[in-house]
Amino acid sequence: MSCPICAEDSTAKYRPFCSRRCADVDLSKWMNGNYAIPSRDPEDIEAAADAAEAAQIAAQKPQ
Ligand SMILES: [Zn+2]
């Protein structure tokens, strides 16, 4: 099985993802309602991960 985000080998701890980072990216995509077929471009993955982190930080801030 490979990670659906970056296609690296998945790990048992974060399956089907390879890492917490990719699991967070996937979760954020679902939560934002804009899930799309993930790009294999490493720069896009980095951008998506950064966006996911920003979204999580924003979501944790009290209104
Ligand atoms: Zn991954």
Side-chain angles (χ1 to χ4, degrees):
M1 185 181 289
S2 60
C3 174
I5 301 298
C6 69
E8 294 289 329
D9 289 341
S10 62
T11 63
K13 186 174 182 181
Y14 296 112
R15 67 182 180 182
F17 306 102
C18 68
S19 64
R20 171 95 192 275
R21 185 178 178 86
C22 283
D24 284 349
V25 170
D26 186 75
L27 180 63
S28 293
K29 285 182 177 180
W30 282 110
M31 288 175 66
N32 291 336
N34 61 353
Y35 192 80
I37 297 169
S39 170
R40 300 296 176 86
D41 186 330
E43 289 188 4
D44 282 357
I45 293 169
E46 282 293 310
D50 289 345
E53 278 184 28
Q56 284 199 332
I57 290 167
Q60 288 168 0
K61 285 182 180 175
Q63 288 291 338

